[in-house]
Amino acid sequence: MLRWIFALLLIPFLDAVLLAVIVTQFGFLSWVGMILLVVLTGLIGMLLVRAEGRRTIRKMQRSMAEGTPPTNELLDGGLLIAAGAFLLTPGLVTDGIGFLLAVPLTRIPIRAALKRFVIVPYVDKKTGGFASGGVWTFGFPEGGPGRERTESADSGTYDLGEDAYSVAGDDEDAYTIDFGDERTDDADDERDDDPLGR
């Protein structure tokens, strides 16, 4: 968290230093010209963000009409919101970051990096790998409940201890599982008494 606060404080400092260097190095550009330049870049950037936002909304509607989730379009929308915030902040560094996020040529690699290094690891951490397909199809991950169980003589099965159910049936294709629940008849009686259950 401290890194983000430092980065947010560093950007205005870089803006102020860059503005001072440009004004002192280029004599023909006064402070008034520099302020006009910052305002002009902000206005051009906001027009660009507005046009890209409309284009992104059209792409989102098109992908939803086709039945595909608009994940890239949603990320583009978030990056365009961030671009608008950077472009509204006065300064050349923030305007540069805003233009990087607004122009599709540079926004697409930023979106891909954001998905790969931020979103997918976060979602995998929250879902245990189900989001990206990195799931366990056999056994358990290290340290999971599978370590407590003993492996039987057959290498493909585990001994679960005493069974909480029994399987009865003579035919191989048809069998019933009796969980030993005595309350099945009570549930049927309650269902018969309920007038809405019919």
Side-chain angles (χ1 to χ4, degrees):
M1 185 68 177
L2 206 55
R3 285 184 293 172
W4 294 108
I5 293 172
F6 179 71
L8 288 175
L9 293 175
L10 184 65
I11 290 173
F13 176 73
L14 290 175
D15 272 332
V17 168
L18 185 63
L19 287 174
V21 166
I22 289 176
V23 168
T24 56
Q25 294 297 321
F26 302 105
F28 63 89
L29 196 62
S30 66
W31 284 102
V32 175
M34 183 55 62
I35 291 172
L36 288 176
L37 178 66
V38 168
V39 170
L40 183 66
T41 56
L43 287 175
I44 292 172
M46 289 311 296
L47 291 174
L48 177 65
V49 167
R50 183 178 176 188
E52 285 297 314
R54 287 181 177 171
R55 182 173 161 259
T56 301
I57 288 174
R58 282 195 302 270
K59 285 173 57 179
M60 188 182 302
Q61 290 171 341
R62 195 175 317 124
S63 67
M64 287 172 52
E66 293 171 358
T68 58
T71 54
N72 288 336
E73 290 81 9
L74 288 172
L75 283 174
D76 279 344
L79 289 174
L80 287 172
I81 290 171
F86 277 117
L87 288 167
L88 282 176
T89 306
L92 294 178
V93 174
T94 54
D95 287 345
I97 295 171
F99 277 116
L100 283 176
L101 295 176
V103 175
L105 188 64
T106 56
R107 186 177 67 239
I108 291 171
I110 292 171
R111 179 185 68 203
L114 187 69
K115 280 171 67 174
R116 181 175 181 185
F117 297 113
V118 177
I119 294 173
V120 171
Y122 178 77
V123 171
D124 274 349
K125 180 180 173 187
K126 290 293 184 183
T127 62
F130 282 102
S132 64
V135 296
W136 290 88
T137 57
F138 178 78
F140 293 94
E142 289 184 24
R147 287 184 156 253
E148 299 169 345
R149 298 192 174 116
T150 58
E151 192 170 343
S152 69
D154 183 14
S155 63
T157 60
Y158 290 92
D159 182 15
L160 299 177
E162 283 189 38
D163 291 338
Y165 61 90
S166 62
V167 178
D170 297 331
D171 191 12
E172 291 181 8
D173 295 334
Y175 62 90
T176 60
I177 299 175
D178 181 21
F179 288 100
D181 190 7
E182 301 291 332
R183 294 177 297 168
T184 55
D185 295 335
D186 297 338
D188 291 338
D189 292 341
E190 289 175 9
R191 197 175 310 124
D192 289 340
D193 293 339
D194 186 13
L196 298 176
R198 295 179 190 160

